[in-house]
Amino acid sequence: MDVLTMTGFFNNIGKGLYATFIQEGRWNWFLSGLGYTLLISLVAVLLGLLIGILAAFGKLSKIKPFRWIAGMYVDIIRGTPTMVQLLIIYFIIFAKVNLSPWIVGALGFAINSGAYIAEIVRGGILSIDKGQTEAGRSLGLTSYQTMAHIIMPQTMKNILPALGNEFIVLIKETAVIGMISNIDLLGAAKKVQGRTYDYLYPLLGAAIIYYVVVKLLSIALARVELRMRKSDLR
């Protein structure tokens, strides 16, 4: 490869990066998209945790209707694609409700995530030795008090890494929100594509941003797990 060819190659890269991020301040589009991606993921995982805890208790309940409803919810949500669920929620359930797309997206992903978190929570509760429950009851605690003060604190500590992984998965899954609105990180890349007619740099830029965010969160999660292991060894 001669000097002129290399110069032309790097010039093309510079032009592509300029058109993707610098021109018209398009980096703001990516920044805004990243903000919506993180916001949707955070709201979804928090609401999903609430839904998941309720569904987990439903599946563990001795009342058959509760077990049936919770089991059916988990089975249906885990057995259908996230994209289909999001389209049903946006175009059918909330079709006549004037809600921001990010709110509808957060609700949709929360409902989806709740089914997976339900199994995480249920597994966490079942992993606690039954002796813990018996000890609580022997101290005069009610079933509710035993669950709230003894079982759930240990359960949440055990499932925290899995919840962190669920948050990371949600960040990547939110890319399908482009089916209802281009407000997320991938939506920013699609807006740039519409201006530059170039797929390489916008998609590559979005992929790199996704990777960096997920990598940072993975490192943070690993450190939390390490601290938890150290505290258990004390």
Side-chain angles (χ1 to χ4, degrees):
M1 183 179 294
D2 57 32
V3 175
L4 290 177
T5 304
M6 291 182 62
T7 301
F9 174 74
F10 286 112
N11 281 339
N12 287 334
I13 292 178
K15 290 179 181 178
L17 293 175
Y18 178 82
T20 300
F21 296 103
I22 307 301
Q23 190 173 347
E24 296 182 342
R26 291 170 187 168
W27 62 271
N28 281 304
W29 300 354
F30 285 92
L31 186 61
S32 175
L34 176 61
Y36 274 112
T37 293
L38 294 176
L39 176 63
I40 293 169
S41 301
L42 181 59
V43 173
V45 80
L46 291 177
L47 288 178
L49 178 60
L50 177 61
I51 296 171
I53 290 174
L54 293 175
F57 282 132
K59 292 194 71 174
L60 294 172
S61 174
K62 295 180 180 179
I63 303 175
K64 287 186 178 180
F66 287 171
R67 288 205 310 270
W68 183 81
I69 293 172
M72 191 171 183
Y73 157 70
V74 172
D75 188 54
I76 291 175
I77 295 299
R78 295 180 70 184
T80 54
T82 305
M83 185 181 296
V84 175
Q85 297 167 18
L86 189 62
L87 292 175
I88 290 174
I89 290 172
Y90 187 75
F91 290 108
I92 299 177
I93 297 178
F94 290 108
K96 297 182 180 180
V97 180
N98 186 23
L99 285 178
S100 174
W102 82 263
I103 296 178
V104 177
L107 291 174
F109 288 116
I111 293 171
N112 178 269
S113 182
Y116 295 91
I117 292 178
E119 290 300 284
I120 294 173
V121 174
R122 186 177 69 88
I125 292 174
L126 293 177
S127 69
I128 306 300
D129 190 272
K130 290 183 178 180
Q132 299 283 338
T133 302
E134 295 171 356
R137 298 306 301 274
S138 68
L139 292 173
L141 299 178
T142 63
S143 297
Y144 171 79
Q145 291 173 328
T146 301
M147 179 62 70
H149 298 293
I150 297 178
I151 305 301
M152 284 308 295
Q154 297 181 70
T155 298
M156 295 307 294
K157 182 178 181 180
N158 291 340
I159 68 174
L160 186 59
L163 291 178
N165 288 328
E166 178 64 19
F167 179 57
I168 290 173
V169 169
L170 268 176
I171 289 176
K172 294 182 289 185
E173 283 190 347
T174 53
V176 302
I177 201 173
M179 296 297 298
I180 62 174
S181 178
N182 291 327
I183 60 173
D184 68 323
L185 185 56
L186 186 59
K190 291 168 66 177
K191 285 171 65 177
V192 173
Q193 289 171 15
R195 298 291 185 91
T196 63
Y197 302 102
D198 178 20
Y199 285 86
L200 176 60
Y201 294 102
L203 290 178
L204 186 60
I208 291 173
I209 295 172
Y210 272 118
Y211 175 79
V212 170
V213 171
V214 170
K215 189 65 176 178
L216 292 175
L217 288 173
S218 298
I219 292 173
L221 183 60
R223 290 187 176 181
V224 170
E225 291 182 32
L226 181 60
R227 289 186 179 181
M228 290 172 60
R229 286 198 298 269
K230 287 182 178 179
S231 65
D232 289 338
L233 293 174
R234 292 176 183 174

